[in-house]
Each structure stands twice: as structure tokens, then as C-alpha cells.
Amino acid sequence: MIENSPEFYKYVSLVVLTVQNATVGLSMRYARIRPGEMFLSSTAVVMSELVKLFTCLLIVFKEEDSSLGKVKIAIHEQIIRQPMDTLKVCIPSLIYVVQNNLLYLAASNLDAATYQVTYQLKILTAALFTVTILRRKLISTQWLSLVVLVTGVALVQLADQPTKPGEANANQSKVIGFSAAIAACFLSGFAGIYFEKILKGSNVSVWMRNIQLSFLSLPFGLVTCVINDYTQLKEKGFFYGYDGFVWYLVVLQATGGLIVAAVVKYADNILKGFATSLAIILSCIASVYIFDFHLTLQFAFGTSLVIGSVFLYGYVPRTHNRVKVIV
């Protein structure tokens, strides 16, 4: 049957990766500029981690033959009886909380298309950490792709976007948005490489690792809420501004990465490149119609360079070993 063929799953993976990459940026941007009561992004980060925790617990429950007893044993054996191993996850847990808060800040100050293109710099940071931490080597075409990537993002950031008086983005700072996106890229690169290292250094399953991550992220997220939004939390409450769309965004943020993890085994570098490129193109097109985004020639050229760099980085001649980078 077609549904059971590798080609079927490959194309399903392409669709899933493309939709997930495109909808996150568009949804975050819309959530931050739409009219009405504005929710606190720090609380959304906490709720996403809580949803992710319950989702992973449900997956482990299914893997353990729907037995609560087996789930308790698995958690006890892989988490509680390995306290030092669990503590290693504290670093990426804290990083991911900070990173997700920075992404909301970036989405609040950058249009969806610019946000989508700029965040591809995570390829650069992941590559740099791969070289410095994992001591892997990049081939010449990969170094070239990183130069092309930086050039493309620079052109996108320097592209003039005309702003009409009274527009939603009139009081937003491109500098703050870009700085937040860059910081998030560096945190994403480091956390991804660190997470890869601890995954390979133990026999704990990926889903158990995600349970550890989410469980340890919750206290960090709550502390971030208090530090950033204590006054508003006290006056308006934790769920101020929440509606159906915010809950959709929370679930999207929580499950998006897990969905990608489930299908990524069917996706090679070329397919990932297509998914990233299609997501950027879809974000640009959607931004024109949804956010009245003005597409300039410079922006289009910079975006083309970024898309080209994604393909160039993923292309490795047969004479070379592939350099795997978690981004």
C-alpha cells in the first residue's frame, strides 16, 4: 500500500516540517500584534512546557503498554535513580526557557517574514558550536554556505520596510527584535549541541529526556514569570489575555518540536532544506496578505541567499562524511 511506503512518509514529513516551521512564526507574530488584551508571553512559555510534559508522559504511557505501573518503573529507573544524569538536563532546560521568551520578544518586534529568515542563523550558531564543542570539521561548501547565510540575513535586516502612521509595528523596535533573535539563535545552537551530547552519552530515551526537560523547565519558567511580569501577574492574573488562539499557540509550541522529532527520521538534508525554504516562502506570502508586509527587491534577494545557503549547507559530496547538526 502507498500509505506504508517510505516515499509516502517522506512526503508526509515534508508537509509536516513545512507547516510546523511556517505556522509557528506566523502564529507568534499574529498573537503579539492582534487587538485585544495581550497575554503574558512568559506564562505561555510555562504552559507550553506543561503541555509538553503531559504529552511526553502520554507517549511513554503508550510505549509501556498503557500500564501506569510500567511508566512509574521507567521514570524511577531512568530519572530518579540517575540524579546526576538528570541534573545535566538543567542547563538546556534553563536555556530553552530563556530562548522561548526571547523568541516571543523577537516576534513582537519583527514581522513574520523577517523573523523566519533571521532565525535561520541558528544554522550558523549550531555549526560553530559543533566545531568548538564536538570538535567536528566542516567542509568548504559548508563554510561558504554560512557566509552566504549571514549575507542574506544582513540584507533582510537592512531592507527598508515602509510603515504607515498608526500601523501595529510603528512602536516596535527592529533592533530589539533582531537582538532577541540573535540571542535565541546562539542559545538554540548551544542547547542543541549540548542535548545531542547527553543523548549519546546515556541510555535514556528521547521521550524521557523531554520529560526531564519539561519538568525542570517549569520552575525556571515560573521564576522568569515573577522576574519579568510580577506586577502584571499580581494585578491581572496568570491567564490574563488567554483565549482560544493563545491556547492554540501554547499547544503548537509544545507539540511542534515533538511532531518534528517523530517524522524527522524520514527526512534527509535535502528534504529538510525544502521544508525550510517552503516555510520561508509561505511566511513571506502570508505576511503580505495577513500583515500588509511590503516585499522589497533587497528583502527578496536576501531571502533567496538564505534559502540557497540552507541547501548548500545540507549538500555534502559523497567523498566527505556528513556533519550532523541539531538545529
Side-chain angles (χ1 to χ4, degrees), residues 128-138 193 197:
L128 294 177
F129 285 119
T130 296
V131 172
T132 56
I133 296 177
L134 299 182
R135 302 297 180 184
R136 294 177 183 166
K137 292 182 179 180
L138 302 182
I193 297 304
K197 216 174 177 184

Side-chain angles (χ1 to χ4, degrees), residues 46-61 75 79 207-219 254-255 258:
V46 173
M47 292 311 301
S48 290
E49 292 300 330
L50 190 60
V51 171
K52 188 191 298 182
L53 174 62
F54 282 111
T55 303
C56 290
L57 284 171
L58 182 61
I59 292 173
V60 173
F61 177 71
I75 292 175
I79 298 178
W207 303 121
M208 278 296 181
R209 280 297 184 202
N210 276 287
I211 290 173
Q212 289 175 316
L213 276 173
S214 296
F215 184 76
L216 294 171
S217 293
L218 288 173
T255 60
L258 299 178

Side-chain angles (χ1 to χ4, degrees), residues 7 13 28 55 57 68 79 104 110 115 134-135 155 158 163 176 196 208 215 232-233 237 240 242 245 267 271 284 302:
E7 284 298 311
S13 301
M28 287 179 69
T55 303
L57 284 171
L68 283 175
I79 298 178
Y104 270 108
L110 297 175
Y115 167 90
L134 299 182
R135 302 297 180 184
L155 288 172
L158 295 174
T163 302
I176 292 176
E196 178 185 354
M208 278 296 181
F215 184 76
Q232 294 186 67
L233 284 170
Y240 175 78
Y242 275 62
F245 189 83
L271 189 141
C284 291

Side-chain angles (χ1 to χ4, degrees), residues 2-227:
I2 296 176
E3 289 80 2
N4 294 325
S5 69
E7 284 298 311
F8 172 78
Y9 288 113
K10 188 173 182 178
Y11 287 115
V12 168
S13 301
L14 175 62
V15 173
V16 170
L17 290 171
T18 301
V19 171
Q20 198 274 335
N21 284 337
T23 53
V24 169
L26 290 168
S27 300
M28 287 179 69
R29 175 62 178 172
Y30 178 74
R32 301 309 288 172
I33 66 170
R34 65 186 182 139
E37 299 175 340
M38 180 59 66
F39 68 99
L40 301 176
S41 58
S42 59
T43 65
V45 172
V46 173
M47 292 311 301
S48 290
E49 292 300 330
L50 190 60
V51 171
K52 188 191 298 182
L53 174 62
F54 282 111
T55 303
C56 290
L57 284 171
L58 182 61
I59 292 173
V60 173
F61 177 71
K62 291 292 184 182
E63 286 186 341
E64 297 294 341
D65 302 321
S66 301
S67 169
L68 283 175
K70 289 183 178 180
V71 172
K72 290 179 181 179
I73 293 173
I75 292 175
H76 185 268
E77 290 294 325
Q78 297 187 47
I79 298 178
I80 298 175
R81 290 191 62 182
Q82 301 183 48
M84 295 307 297
D85 185 73
T86 301
L87 285 175
K88 291 178 184 178
V89 186
C90 283
I91 296 175
S93 297
L94 174 60
I95 289 175
Y96 283 133
V97 168
V98 176
Q99 174 194 330
N100 288 330
N101 277 282
L102 286 171
L103 289 178
Y104 270 108
L105 181 60
S108 300
N109 289 278
L110 297 175
D111 58 82
T114 304
Y115 167 90
Q116 189 76 265
V117 174
T118 303
Y119 195 46
Q120 299 312 310
L121 283 175
K122 62 185 179 178
I123 297 174
L124 169 66
T125 59
L128 294 177
F129 285 119
T130 296
V131 172
T132 56
I133 296 177
L134 299 182
R135 302 297 180 184
R136 294 177 183 166
K137 292 182 179 180
L138 302 182
I139 62 175
S140 56
T141 54
Q142 290 176 318
W143 284 114
L144 176 61
S145 72
L146 298 179
V147 174
V148 174
L149 173 65
V150 172
T151 303
V153 171
L155 288 172
V156 166
Q157 284 295 326
L158 295 174
D160 291 326
Q161 293 297 324
T163 302
K164 299 175 185 177
E167 263 190 72
N169 61 355
N171 297 320
Q172 294 165 7
S173 171
K174 201 171 183 180
V175 174
I176 292 176
F178 179 67
S179 300
I182 290 293
C185 286
F186 273 96
L187 292 176
S188 173
F190 177 78
I193 297 304
Y194 183 91
F195 196 52
E196 178 185 354
K197 216 174 177 184
I198 62 176
L199 269 178
K200 290 183 176 179
S202 72
N203 59 351
V204 179
S205 71
V206 174
W207 303 121
M208 278 296 181
R209 280 297 184 202
N210 276 287
I211 290 173
Q212 289 175 316
L213 276 173
S214 296
F215 184 76
L216 294 171
S217 293
L218 288 173
F220 290 133
L222 290 172
V223 169
T224 303
C225 288
V226 173
I227 293 174

